[in-house]
Amino acid sequence: MNNFLKYIFLGSLCLTAVSCSDLDQMNVSPNSTSDVPSNMLMEGAEKWAMDNIYDVWFSGRQCLPYSQQWSQRNYTEEDRYQVRESTNNSYFNYLYMGMANFDKVVKLNSDDATKVKNATFGANENQIAAAMIMKVWLMDVITDTWGNVPYSDISKLESDNIMYCKYDDQKDIYAGMIKDLTTAVNMIDASQSAFTSGDIIFGGDASKWKKFGNSLKCRLAIHLSKVDPNWKSYIADALKSGVMESNDDAAKFTYVASGSDYCQFYKGFFTDGRNDFTIARPLVDIMKGQRDSLNNKQHPWEGTLDPRLSVYTTPNADGVYQGIPYAAPTGTQDKFRASSPNWYSTKPMVVQKTYAVPLMTYAELKFILCEYNGYDVADYKDGIKASLQYWYDLAGKSISNTTIDAYVNAVSGNVNAESCALQKYIDLYTNGTEAWTEIRRTGYPEQLIRPGEITCIYDGSKVAFTPLSETKGDIIERVKYPTNESTLNGDNWKAAVAKLTDGTNNYYSKMYWDVRVSKYNHPANK
């Protein structure tokens, strides 16, 4: 990745803080060029989005703990839902800045004054489509984190001189995202390149962008499966247009080892020197086929070891795969650190410089289709096989067909909502945003630790998971709106808060698509 390209897009942002404050607050560096070609903007936009989602703050201290894939080894306040306001303000802005970056690519390829020049770097409509797909992918992360958020006004900040964005209802945001994906995939000409350079995700392959756009449409549709009677038609349309067909079509951003272009998980550990994270016990126990004896929870395929465990993490000093208790109070983790893996000394692939962060895997699509087809056994098995092969290939290791078949057979005795959700959850490793969404949507895995349940035994006493923010007895449902919005976009912020449960800016208001009435309620698809 060209070092010159890494941050060049920062000087050409159409917005610097799309938290909808006065446009006079924009920052434009006088030392940065304002005439940046679209391929360079796309590279920078992709990296900006990946760096600010797959890092040790938004992922490491929020989404990965919320999904109980990771837990902190030292200070567990964030694992227990004590969100730092400064961090929340920053990432709300950062993710909207990412939206602005992709929107700039769209505008450069739409404006008569710039599109001819930028056609040199790929077909204009293909570039527009790829940027639109990434805007939807990023918008999905935003809305599934905070709920009702600014959406329809975002692109009007420059063109229509709108200074303060209203908050759209999540129902309308989803409808807009489905529409935008349909528009994007329909404009793609797979016979032409999307980008001649600068596209790290698919190397400019327009056909792969189309498959990703349609597969992402399936993801959004399954999110809506409890609330939108048209959800199956969205998937049917996507399948007709063309979805991912193999692991070769997976959407991932591969970092490089040169310069400072390495994965942000690596940066957190080895540049910033923070040995703060490790794999959480609930995920390890699920993958080891172990029941949760502390909370008397069963396991659907007890005694079956998941082959992916050896590529997701490393063993402890005794050669045992062990996760650290999830969200035990700060001060108790010291007892468990010695028996949990120390990623600082033995690096698994997720904290390597060149880790390829997953936007969406082919296996995830197969689990979506498994649910779509009434928990189809063939889709389920195909998803597991694809996941095993994907993760071993990503780690640079081989796995035999014998091992794959043995595991698939062991976990396929009863293909239903739980087994499908559990396998999808395992495949979504390090994609904490989507794993957290699926937990809230389905109620699975049941093996996760809910507030009030026992997370560990410490000095002979049972220690319960005690959140530091009110969650109404379930896992965190959303992140509060950032405090900056209450001052910079006050009227719209107040209107949005008024729509939340109890009319307060809280952590327990449910997403539009979450119709569960209790933590272990698993609603059937309509």
Side-chain angles (χ1 to χ4, degrees):
M1 206 177 301
N2 190 307
N3 286 332
F4 169 72
L5 304 184
K6 289 194 304 180
Y7 302 115
I8 191 69
F9 68 101
L10 288 174
S12 61
L13 281 174
C14 57
L15 306 169
T16 59
V18 196
S19 58
C20 306
S21 59
D22 195 309
L23 289 179
D24 290 340
Q25 296 184 10
M26 289 194 303
N27 282 324
V28 178
S29 169
N31 299 317
S32 298
T33 177
S34 60
D35 187 20
V36 182
S38 57
N39 63 326
M40 296 170 69
L41 281 172
M42 189 67 175
E43 179 177 341
E46 289 178 357
K47 188 173 188 298
W48 176 264
M50 301 306 107
D51 283 357
N52 287 291
I53 290 177
Y54 300 98
D55 70 345
V56 295
W57 287 99
F58 189 77
S59 281
R61 290 178 173 87
Q62 289 190 194
C63 298
L64 287 171
Y66 298 167
S67 64
Q68 299 188 27
Q69 295 186 345
W70 284 14
S71 188
Q72 294 190 77
R73 291 163 48 88
N74 302 312
Y75 311 105
T76 63
E77 281 74 15
E78 284 123 336
D79 298 28
R80 293 181 287 148
Y81 312 148
Q82 181 173 295
V83 178
R84 303 187 199 195
E85 286 298 340
S86 60
T87 302
N88 195 28
N89 285 322
S90 295
Y91 280 86
F92 191 79
N93 285 350
Y94 293 163
L95 299 194
Y96 272 109
M97 288 168 69
M99 292 281 288
N101 293 331
F102 291 116
D103 196 52
K104 188 68 172 177
V105 177
V106 172
K107 290 175 180 177
L108 284 176
N109 284 279
S110 304
D111 192 325
D112 288 338
T114 55
K115 68 180 185 181
V116 173
K117 178 179 179 180
N118 284 285
T120 304
F121 312 110
N124 291 132
E125 290 197 340
N126 286 349
Q127 291 189 55
I128 292 169
M132 286 178 65
I133 290 167
M134 285 305 299
K135 284 180 65 179
V136 171
W137 179 86
L138 186 51
M139 190 68 223
D140 184 37
V141 172
I142 294 171
T143 187
D144 289 347
T145 300
W146 288 280
N148 297 343
V149 288
Y151 176 63
S152 58
D153 280 353
I154 293 301
S155 62
K156 301 175 184 177
L157 285 169
E158 282 189 315
S159 59
D160 295 353
N161 201 31
I162 289 177
M163 292 189 177
Y164 305 99
C165 296
K166 70 176 182 295
Y167 285 56
D168 295 87
D169 289 347
Q170 193 173 44
K171 177 180 180 181
D172 297 328
I173 294 172
Y174 263 82
M177 292 192 295
I178 293 286
K179 181 180 178 181
D180 286 347
L181 283 176
T182 302
T183 299
V185 298
N186 285 342
M187 70 168 59
I188 291 177
D189 180 353
S191 68
Q192 299 188 71
S193 174
F195 291 92
T196 57
S197 64
D199 171 20
I200 307 302
I201 297 172
F202 289 120
D205 189 328
S207 67
K208 291 187 184 298
W209 276 109
K210 184 168 186 174
K211 292 176 183 179
F212 176 41
N214 282 315
S215 300
L216 183 57
K217 188 174 179 179
C218 293
R219 174 191 281 180
L220 300 186
I222 210 71
H223 290 178
L224 298 173
S225 63
K226 311 296 191 293
V227 294
D228 187 341
N230 296 313
W231 72 277
K232 283 198 168 185
S233 69
Y234 305 146
I235 295 180
D237 290 344
L239 292 173
K240 184 177 180 181
S241 180
V243 295
M244 294 178 183
E245 300 176 277
S246 72
N247 285 338
D248 290 339
D249 297 326
K252 59 183 184 291
F253 183 95
T254 304
Y255 282 91
V256 297
S258 62
S260 59
D261 289 326
Y262 40 70
C263 176
Q264 294 298 292
F265 292 150
Y266 172 90
K267 179 179 182 294
F269 274 75
F270 301 101
T271 301
D272 299 339
R274 302 293 304 187
N275 184 20
D276 286 350
F277 311 94
T278 193
I279 196 166
R281 180 179 288 176
L283 174 58
V284 173
D285 286 353
I286 288 170
M287 298 183 76
K288 290 174 70 174
Q290 294 183 173
R291 67 173 65 190
D292 176 4
S293 58
L294 293 177
N295 295 287
N296 194 30
K297 295 182 182 180
Q298 305 299 311
H299 194 294
W301 43 82
E302 189 171 335
T304 300
L305 178 65
D306 192 316
R308 287 165 289 193
L309 186 60
S310 63
V311 296
Y312 281 10
T313 185
T314 50
N316 62 18
D318 296 325
V320 177
Y321 288 98
Q322 187 73 43
I324 202 164
Y326 174 72
T330 295
T332 62
Q333 294 289 60
D334 56 339
K335 177 179 179 179
F336 303 103
R337 281 199 293 268
S339 60
S340 65
N342 183 347
W343 288 352
Y344 201 72
S345 60
T346 54
K347 298 191 292 287
M349 66 174 172
V350 298
V351 292
Q352 300 279 358
K353 282 186 174 182
T354 57
Y355 181 55
V357 294
L359 286 74
M360 185 174 186
T361 65
Y362 171 61
E364 181 193 341
L365 174 67
K366 293 303 294 185
F367 294 128
I368 291 169
L369 296 181
C370 171
E371 187 171 345
Y372 166 74
N373 289 318
Y375 300 106
D376 179 74
V377 174
D379 285 325
Y380 174 79
K381 289 184 175 181
D382 286 347
I384 300 171
K385 291 177 182 178
S387 181
L388 291 168
Q389 194 64 65
Y390 172 85
W391 285 103
Y392 267 78
D393 286 347
L394 200 64
K397 297 182 178 181
S398 61
I399 182 171
S400 69
N401 290 332
T402 301
T403 300
I404 292 175
D405 291 343
Y407 177 74
V408 170
N409 291 334
V411 300
S412 300
N414 189 14
V415 178
N416 54 22
E418 180 178 19
S419 55
C420 181
L422 209 52
Q423 284 295 332
K424 184 194 285 189
Y425 170 77
I426 295 169
D427 180 70
L428 287 170
Y429 186 52
T430 68
N431 193 341
T433 57
E434 186 61 20
W436 178 36
T437 291
E438 284 295 284
I439 294 164
R440 290 173 288 169
R441 181 180 75 89
T442 68
Y444 294 113
E446 288 195 355
Q447 293 75 18
L448 301 184
I449 308 299
R450 266 64 175 192
E453 296 179 345
I454 306 303
T455 185
C456 65
I457 303 291
Y458 184 79
D459 287 345
S461 298
K462 293 181 179 179
V463 178
F465 170 24
T466 306
L468 298 177
S469 297
E470 177 59 58
T471 62
K472 298 290 187 181
D474 206 349
I475 67 167
I476 188 170
E477 296 287 351
R478 63 183 291 271
V479 176
K480 283 184 177 181
Y481 293 131
T483 54
N484 280 355
E485 278 288 277
S486 66
T487 55
L488 299 176
N489 193 22
D491 289 344
N492 290 314
W493 180 88
K494 289 176 183 176
V497 169
K499 293 182 178 181
L500 297 173
T501 304
D502 301 331
T504 64
N505 190 18
N506 57 64
Y507 295 97
Y508 51 79
S509 294
K510 292 183 180 295
M511 297 289 118
Y512 159 66
W513 37 257
D514 181 358
V515 297
R516 294 173 305 126
V517 296
S518 67
K519 56 191 174 184
Y520 291 122
N521 174 247
H522 311 295
N525 284 335
K526 295 183 179 180

